[in-house]
Amino acid sequence: METIEELRPEHLEEAVRFIRGQILELRSVPARVEDMLPRFRWLYVDTPRRRDDFIGWGLRTETGELVGTHLIAWQHYSRAGQEARALVSTSSYVAREFRGPKGLGLMLNMRRREDAGLCICTTANVSSGSVWKSMGGQVMPGGEGEYLIPVNWT
């Protein structure tokens, strides 16, 4: 049975290896993992917006194999002088044979983070777009593949 776990900086290289493999199924990716890692490290680990060691969620098999990722990039937004932290959904991949309820669970975890005022996805494809809509997401004006879920505004 697969389990969902929080991913930390020490899981980043493993996550990048998995993501690269998933992208290769769709199109050619010339970059090696070693070439991709600095960008991922900057987005998820070295960013000044990160407050803790949380970088997203992973889906693991009973044997410990990573078969899904949903990485999170933190952003800050303001509205009428109020600040809010936003979870930006990125690098959401699930190996084909593990798609379904557990894969969906990776995305649903975003709504459980109490420290996020907004949940945003800026590059939703048809499949993930339908998941965002089912979670109450709304298409952002002028961006067909961009979804926004106001979780709370404090």
Side-chain angles (χ1 to χ4, degrees):
M1 182 173 173
E2 300 80 36
T3 57
I4 295 173
E5 67 176 26
E6 287 193 357
L7 296 178
R8 305 283 174 199
E10 59 268 20
H11 301 119
L12 187 62
E13 185 171 346
E14 177 186 21
V16 170
R17 286 186 192 287
F18 169 75
I19 291 165
R20 183 176 185 277
Q22 293 300 298
I23 294 171
L24 281 172
E25 286 186 11
L26 303 173
R27 62 186 178 276
S28 175
V29 179
R32 299 173 304 146
V33 169
E34 294 76 19
D35 298 329
M36 296 170 67
L37 204 51
R39 178 177 175 272
F40 277 78
R41 182 166 297 289
W42 180 83
L43 279 171
Y44 306 112
V45 178
D46 296 336
T47 178
R49 296 180 187 341
R50 188 171 61 87
R51 288 191 189 160
D52 57 27
D53 281 346
F54 171 76
I55 63 169
W57 295 275
L59 180 63
R60 289 200 186 274
T61 64
E62 288 179 345
T63 62
E65 178 186 6
L66 187 65
V67 294
T69 61
H70 188 187
L71 301 184
I72 299 299
W74 288 101
Q75 293 294 321
H76 293 263
Y77 292 89
S78 64
R79 174 181 158 235
Q82 291 182 311
E83 295 267 329
R85 291 182 71 206
L87 289 173
V88 181
S89 172
T90 64
S91 301
S92 185
Y93 295 93
V94 177
R96 187 172 314 280
E97 60 271 23
F98 295 96
R99 292 178 188 162
K102 288 288 186 173
L104 176 61
L106 288 171
M107 292 182 75
L108 293 176
N109 276 316
M110 288 186 74
R111 297 193 66 153
R112 295 187 183 110
R113 288 290 298 210
E114 294 177 8
D115 54 349
L118 300 168
C119 295
I120 299 171
C121 174
T122 58
T123 56
N125 61 26
V126 174
S127 296
S128 61
S130 63
V131 172
W132 276 88
K133 285 179 184 177
S134 74
M135 291 175 16
Q138 302 169 13
V139 176
M140 295 170 69
E144 282 192 25
E146 300 180 349
Y147 290 83
L148 171 71
I149 299 177
V151 177
N152 59 36
W153 192 277
T154 55

